[in-house]
Amino acid sequence: MKKIVFLIALSLTILSCSKVKKGEFLITGEAKGLPNGKMISLKTQNDMGIVLNVDSVKVQDGKFEFKGKVKEPSMFALYIKDIQQPVPFIMESGEIVVKVDKDSIWKSKISGTDSNDSFQEFNDKSNSIQKRLVEYQNKNIQKLMEAQQKKDNMAIESLKSGYVKIQKELDDYMNVYPEQNTNSYISLLLVERLFNSQDFDFKKVKKTFENLDVELKNTVKGKAIATKLKAIEKNMKNPAAAEKLNTLNLAPEFSAKNPEGKTITLKESLGKVTIIDFWASWCAPCRKENPNVVALYNEFHSKGLNIIGVSLDDDAAKWKEAIAKDKLTWNQVSNLKGFEDPIAKMYDIQQIPTTFILNSKGNIVAKDLRGAELKAKVQELLAQ
């Protein structure tokens, strides 16, 4: 009996020590090495993908704090002034602890609530695989280019198979995660990611989503996914309507300035096959996809593949830095207006990355293809 009383007393003590009530959040941050007065902003994105500033505080003695109210879990990020990469986390009720690594932001640690503990574990695992993927590419990119010049198909396929093997490990981990973690907000994000998968399986995605906890499905993001699934199911019953959604015929002409300030037009960027790639330096999925696009461009540019990137950045320096870091050698343009970019509005861009594939006549023949499916489409169009 004494043991039971002790446990109850301990539980009450723990609850009484909590600094937040239900529906409230408290972010306590540790930012060693950052000077006093350094500004840190709390931001999120609305359903149009536009970044919104929620609050800002200054670092004091290597620490910072945010507090407020929250209705349901959603993705937020901390932005440190003059540092390009944000620190993403899951905003939810509770005490969230952030330890910022100012030298390697991606090494920053998030903890304190169930979702963020899981998020940190997920990031550690996926980042370790992603690191191996990048290391493999950097180690073998020169060998691949030499093999392509020599037309050594055996070497080309061998080098590619190593990359594909690691990529598959990452994809498998992300695909299985929602099935094994039905109460995790991360699972919602990964189900959403499946819509852009090269081997999108409607029945599997629908089943995975339906197996998630009811609370997750009733969030804003959960309801958006449910709406998207219903729209796809409806279009599957009407192939003509589905085709109309995916192709827009003649691609609207546009022009904007490249990083050097020169005006570039879509017309002058056209090849036998052209990819219009809407992206941004701050878009993590875009940056992760860039190595695949670089490999595709290196393989098929000499045969007629052109790409024009349209960035939804609003910071010229970060845009240019990302182009250089990701080794994007094709035409790049931006009006530096984020989702207010007139080209993005012209093409009704709701999220990024978004890509359009054009044939030699400038007609849009496909949208948002990835991986093997994109490569197959490029090869098909080049052969025409």
Side-chain angles (χ1 to χ4, degrees), residues 118-141:
S118 298
F119 190 42
Q120 186 62 57
E121 182 181 348
F122 173 82
N123 282 337
D124 288 343
K125 174 69 174 179
S126 57
N127 284 339
S128 67
I129 302 175
Q130 185 68 35
K131 183 180 179 181
R132 284 165 44 214
L133 196 63
V134 173
E135 288 174 347
Y136 182 89
Q137 183 186 24
N138 291 338
K139 180 181 178 181
N140 294 288
I141 185 66

mmCIF file of all heavy atoms in Angstrom, residues 118-141:
data_model
loop_
_atom_site.group_PDB
_atom_site.id
_atom_site.type_symbol
_atom_site.label_atom_id
_atom_site.label_comp_id
_atom_site.label_asym_id
_atom_site.label_seq_id
_atom_site.Cartn_x
_atom_site.Cartn_y
_atom_site.Cartn_z
ATOM 1 N N SER A 118 9.981 11.232 -31.204
ATOM 2 C CA SER A 118 9.899 10.349 -32.370
ATOM 3 C C SER A 118 10.500 11.009 -33.598
ATOM 4 O O SER A 118 11.161 10.349 -34.410
ATOM 5 C CB SER A 118 8.430 9.990 -32.652
ATOM 6 O OG SER A 118 7.868 9.284 -31.580
ATOM 7 N N PHE A 119 10.270 12.300 -33.748
ATOM 8 C CA PHE A 119 10.793 13.059 -34.883
ATOM 9 C C PHE A 119 12.316 13.044 -34.885
ATOM 10 O O PHE A 119 12.958 12.877 -35.929
ATOM 11 C CB PHE A 119 10.262 14.489 -34.824
ATOM 12 C CG PHE A 119 10.534 15.311 -36.062
ATOM 13 C CD1 PHE A 119 10.381 14.773 -37.328
ATOM 14 C CD2 PHE A 119 10.929 16.639 -35.957
ATOM 15 C CE1 PHE A 119 10.617 15.534 -38.471
ATOM 16 C CE2 PHE A 119 11.168 17.403 -37.085
ATOM 17 C CZ PHE A 119 11.013 16.851 -38.348
ATOM 18 N N GLN A 120 12.905 13.211 -33.691
ATOM 19 C CA GLN A 120 14.364 13.185 -33.586
ATOM 20 C C GLN A 120 14.922 11.812 -33.958
ATOM 21 O O GLN A 120 15.905 11.702 -34.701
ATOM 22 C CB GLN A 120 14.795 13.550 -32.169
ATOM 23 C CG GLN A 120 16.306 13.682 -31.993
ATOM 24 C CD GLN A 120 16.894 14.779 -32.841
ATOM 25 O OE1 GLN A 120 16.490 15.924 -32.745
ATOM 26 N NE2 GLN A 120 17.831 14.440 -33.715
ATOM 27 N N GLU A 121 14.258 10.785 -33.471
ATOM 28 C CA GLU A 121 14.683 9.409 -33.786
ATOM 29 C C GLU A 121 14.567 9.153 -35.293
ATOM 30 O O GLU A 121 15.459 8.565 -35.909
ATOM 31 C CB GLU A 121 13.824 8.409 -33.016
ATOM 32 C CG GLU A 121 14.220 6.964 -33.228
ATOM 33 C CD GLU A 121 13.332 5.998 -32.458
ATOM 34 O OE1 GLU A 121 12.560 6.456 -31.596
ATOM 35 O OE2 GLU A 121 13.419 4.784 -32.720
ATOM 36 N N PHE A 122 13.455 9.620 -35.875
ATOM 37 C CA PHE A 122 13.246 9.462 -37.315
ATOM 38 C C PHE A 122 14.327 10.205 -38.105
ATOM 39 O O PHE A 122 14.892 9.670 -39.071
ATOM 40 C CB PHE A 122 11.866 9.988 -37.699
ATOM 41 C CG PHE A 122 11.623 10.031 -39.186
ATOM 42 C CD1 PHE A 122 11.220 8.889 -39.866
ATOM 43 C CD2 PHE A 122 11.803 11.204 -39.903
ATOM 44 C CE1 PHE A 122 11.008 8.919 -41.243
ATOM 45 C CE2 PHE A 122 11.595 11.245 -41.275
ATOM 46 C CZ PHE A 122 11.192 10.105 -41.946
ATOM 47 N N ASN A 123 14.620 11.438 -37.713
ATOM 48 C CA ASN A 123 15.634 12.233 -38.411
ATOM 49 C C ASN A 123 17.018 11.611 -38.310
ATOM 50 O O ASN A 123 17.785 11.606 -39.277
ATOM 51 C CB ASN A 123 15.669 13.662 -37.852
ATOM 52 C CG ASN A 123 14.529 14.508 -38.369
ATOM 53 O OD1 ASN A 123 13.971 14.228 -39.421
ATOM 54 N ND2 ASN A 123 14.164 15.535 -37.623
ATOM 55 N N ASP A 124 17.356 11.103 -37.127
ATOM 56 C CA ASP A 124 18.674 10.478 -36.948
ATOM 57 C C ASP A 124 18.850 9.311 -37.923
ATOM 58 O O ASP A 124 19.913 9.159 -38.541
ATOM 59 C CB ASP A 124 18.827 9.981 -35.505
ATOM 60 C CG ASP A 124 18.994 11.124 -34.510
ATOM 61 O OD1 ASP A 124 19.314 12.246 -34.945
ATOM 62 O OD2 ASP A 124 18.793 10.893 -33.301
ATOM 63 N N LYS A 125 17.790 8.494 -38.045
ATOM 64 C CA LYS A 125 17.857 7.323 -38.924
ATOM 65 C C LYS A 125 17.898 7.732 -40.392
ATOM 66 O O LYS A 125 18.773 7.286 -41.153
ATOM 67 C CB LYS A 125 16.638 6.433 -38.666
ATOM 68 C CG LYS A 125 16.497 5.244 -39.618
ATOM 69 C CD LYS A 125 17.560 4.203 -39.419
ATOM 70 C CE LYS A 125 17.285 2.985 -40.273
ATOM 71 N NZ LYS A 125 18.327 1.955 -40.128
ATOM 72 N N SER A 126 16.969 8.611 -40.807
ATOM 73 C CA SER A 126 16.901 8.998 -42.217
ATOM 74 C C SER A 126 18.116 9.822 -42.630
ATOM 75 O O SER A 126 18.620 9.681 -43.752
ATOM 76 C CB SER A 126 15.613 9.770 -42.501
ATOM 77 O OG SER A 126 15.494 10.902 -41.673
ATOM 78 N N ASN A 127 18.613 10.673 -41.726
ATOM 79 C CA ASN A 127 19.797 11.481 -42.054
ATOM 80 C C ASN A 127 21.040 10.624 -42.234
ATOM 81 O O ASN A 127 21.900 10.931 -43.063
ATOM 82 C CB ASN A 127 20.052 12.528 -40.972
ATOM 83 C CG ASN A 127 19.093 13.700 -41.054
ATOM 84 O OD1 ASN A 127 18.503 13.949 -42.100
ATOM 85 N ND2 ASN A 127 18.933 14.427 -39.964
ATOM 86 N N SER A 128 21.133 9.541 -41.456
ATOM 87 C CA SER A 128 22.304 8.663 -41.587
ATOM 88 C C SER A 128 22.311 7.982 -42.959
ATOM 89 O O SER A 128 23.360 7.823 -43.585
ATOM 90 C CB SER A 128 22.320 7.611 -40.473
ATOM 91 O OG SER A 128 21.243 6.692 -40.622
ATOM 92 N N ILE A 129 21.110 7.602 -43.431
ATOM 93 C CA ILE A 129 21.021 6.985 -44.761
ATOM 94 C C ILE A 129 21.270 8.037 -45.847
ATOM 95 O O ILE A 129 21.979 7.788 -46.820
ATOM 96 C CB ILE A 129 19.633 6.338 -44.968
ATOM 97 C CG1 ILE A 129 19.354 5.292 -43.891
ATOM 98 C CG2 ILE A 129 19.562 5.686 -46.361
ATOM 99 C CD1 ILE A 129 17.954 4.700 -43.947
ATOM 100 N N GLN A 130 20.692 9.228 -45.645
ATOM 101 C CA GLN A 130 20.874 10.311 -46.600
ATOM 102 C C GLN A 130 22.347 10.700 -46.714
ATOM 103 O O GLN A 130 22.851 10.981 -47.808
ATOM 104 C CB GLN A 130 20.059 11.531 -46.174
ATOM 105 C CG GLN A 130 20.078 12.694 -47.153
ATOM 106 C CD GLN A 130 19.344 12.380 -48.445
ATOM 107 O OE1 GLN A 130 18.346 11.678 -48.440
ATOM 108 N NE2 GLN A 130 19.849 12.885 -49.548
ATOM 109 N N LYS A 131 23.058 10.689 -45.604
ATOM 110 C CA LYS A 131 24.480 11.016 -45.594
ATOM 111 C C LYS A 131 25.264 10.013 -46.442
ATOM 112 O O LYS A 131 26.143 10.391 -47.233
ATOM 113 C CB LYS A 131 25.014 11.021 -44.161
ATOM 114 C CG LYS A 131 26.481 11.417 -44.059
ATOM 115 C CD LYS A 131 26.944 11.399 -42.606
ATOM 116 C CE LYS A 131 28.431 11.766 -42.509
ATOM 117 N NZ LYS A 131 28.907 11.728 -41.095
ATOM 118 N N ARG A 132 24.925 8.739 -46.295
ATOM 119 C CA ARG A 132 25.584 7.707 -47.097
ATOM 120 C C ARG A 132 25.284 7.888 -48.576
ATOM 121 O O ARG A 132 26.132 7.655 -49.443
ATOM 122 C CB ARG A 132 25.131 6.330 -46.632
ATOM 123 C CG ARG A 132 25.778 5.897 -45.320
ATOM 124 C CD ARG A 132 25.068 4.718 -44.694
ATOM 125 N NE ARG A 132 24.743 3.691 -45.670
ATOM 126 C CZ ARG A 132 23.653 2.934 -45.618
ATOM 127 N NH1 ARG A 132 22.784 3.099 -44.629
ATOM 128 N NH2 ARG A 132 23.427 2.028 -46.533
ATOM 129 N N LEU A 133 24.066 8.330 -48.866
ATOM 130 C CA LEU A 133 23.653 8.557 -50.254
ATOM 131 C C LEU A 133 24.483 9.675 -50.886
ATOM 132 O O LEU A 133 24.994 9.534 -52.003
ATOM 133 C CB LEU A 133 22.167 8.911 -50.283
ATOM 134 C CG LEU A 133 21.419 8.819 -51.617
ATOM 135 C CD1 LEU A 133 21.393 7.394 -52.128
ATOM 136 C CD2 LEU A 133 19.989 9.327 -51.441
ATOM 137 N N VAL A 134 24.633 10.767 -50.150
ATOM 138 C CA VAL A 134 25.409 11.914 -50.647
ATOM 139 C C VAL A 134 26.880 11.546 -50.784
ATOM 140 O O VAL A 134 27.542 11.903 -51.765
ATOM 141 C CB VAL A 134 25.247 13.123 -49.701
ATOM 142 C CG1 VAL A 134 26.185 14.259 -50.113
ATOM 143 C CG2 VAL A 134 23.801 13.610 -49.715
ATOM 144 N N GLU A 135 27.400 10.808 -49.802
ATOM 145 C CA GLU A 135 28.800 10.387 -49.850
ATOM 146 C C GLU A 135 29.058 9.487 -51.056
ATOM 147 O O GLU A 135 30.093 9.617 -51.729
ATOM 148 C CB GLU A 135 29.172 9.650 -48.560
ATOM 149 C CG GLU A 135 29.283 10.562 -47.348
ATOM 150 C CD GLU A 135 29.516 9.783 -46.063
ATOM 151 O OE1 GLU A 135 29.339 8.539 -46.075
ATOM 152 O OE2 GLU A 135 29.867 10.416 -45.045
ATOM 153 N N TYR A 136 28.116 8.603 -51.325
ATOM 154 C CA TYR A 136 28.255 7.705 -52.472
ATOM 155 C C TYR A 136 28.260 8.506 -53.773
ATOM 156 O O TYR A 136 29.081 8.258 -54.662
ATOM 157 C CB TYR A 136 27.117 6.689 -52.497
ATOM 158 C CG TYR A 136 27.223 5.682 -53.641
ATOM 159 C CD1 TYR A 136 27.937 4.492 -53.467
ATOM 160 C CD2 TYR A 136 26.645 5.929 -54.882
ATOM 161 C CE1 TYR A 136 28.061 3.574 -54.506
ATOM 162 C CE2 TYR A 136 26.768 5.026 -55.924
ATOM 163 C CZ TYR A 136 27.471 3.857 -55.735
ATOM 164 O OH TYR A 136 27.603 2.960 -56.777
ATOM 165 N N GLN A 137 27.365 9.463 -53.857
ATOM 166 C CA GLN A 137 27.289 10.272 -55.079
ATOM 167 C C GLN A 137 28.569 11.085 -55.274
ATOM 168 O O GLN A 137 29.128 11.129 -56.377
ATOM 169 C CB GLN A 137 26.085 11.209 -55.029
ATOM 170 C CG GLN A 137 25.915 12.013 -56.315
ATOM 171 C CD GLN A 137 24.817 13.039 -56.208
ATOM 172 O OE1 GLN A 137 24.478 13.465 -55.118
ATOM 173 N NE2 GLN A 137 24.271 13.440 -57.323
ATOM 174 N N ASN A 138 29.041 11.752 -54.211
ATOM 175 C CA ASN A 138 30.251 12.575 -54.321
ATOM 176 C C ASN A 138 31.470 11.735 -54.685
ATOM 177 O O ASN A 138 32.337 12.169 -55.440
ATOM 178 C CB ASN A 138 30.505 13.310 -53.004
ATOM 179 C CG ASN A 138 29.452 14.380 -52.736
ATOM 180 O OD1 ASN A 138 28.791 14.853 -53.658
ATOM 181 N ND2 ASN A 138 29.303 14.771 -51.488
ATOM 182 N N LYS A 139 31.492 10.520 -54.144
ATOM 183 C CA LYS A 139 32.628 9.629 -54.389
ATOM 184 C C LYS A 139 32.638 9.107 -55.821
ATOM 185 O O LYS A 139 33.700 8.887 -56.407
ATOM 186 C CB LYS A 139 32.578 8.461 -53.404
ATOM 187 C CG LYS A 139 33.715 7.466 -53.564
ATOM 188 C CD LYS A 139 33.578 6.323 -52.565
ATOM 189 C CE LYS A 139 34.675 5.291 -52.731
ATOM 190 N NZ LYS A 139 34.532 4.161 -51.768
ATOM 191 N N ASN A 140 31.437 8.946 -56.416
ATOM 192 C CA ASN A 140 31.344 8.262 -57.701
ATOM 193 C C ASN A 140 30.900 9.124 -58.879
ATOM 194 O O ASN A 140 30.824 8.623 -60.004
ATOM 195 C CB ASN A 140 30.392 7.070 -57.579
ATOM 196 C CG ASN A 140 30.931 5.991 -56.659
ATOM 197 O OD1 ASN A 140 31.869 5.275 -57.007
ATOM 198 N ND2 ASN A 140 30.349 5.882 -55.473
ATOM 199 N N ILE A 141 30.597 10.416 -58.645
ATOM 200 C CA ILE A 141 30.086 11.251 -59.729
ATOM 201 C C ILE A 141 31.099 11.382 -60.863
ATOM 202 O O ILE A 141 30.742 11.340 -62.053
ATOM 203 C CB ILE A 141 29.677 12.656 -59.205
ATOM 204 C CG1 ILE A 141 29.029 13.469 -60.319
ATOM 205 C CG2 ILE A 141 30.856 13.387 -58.597
ATOM 206 C CD1 ILE A 141 27.727 12.934 -60.808
#
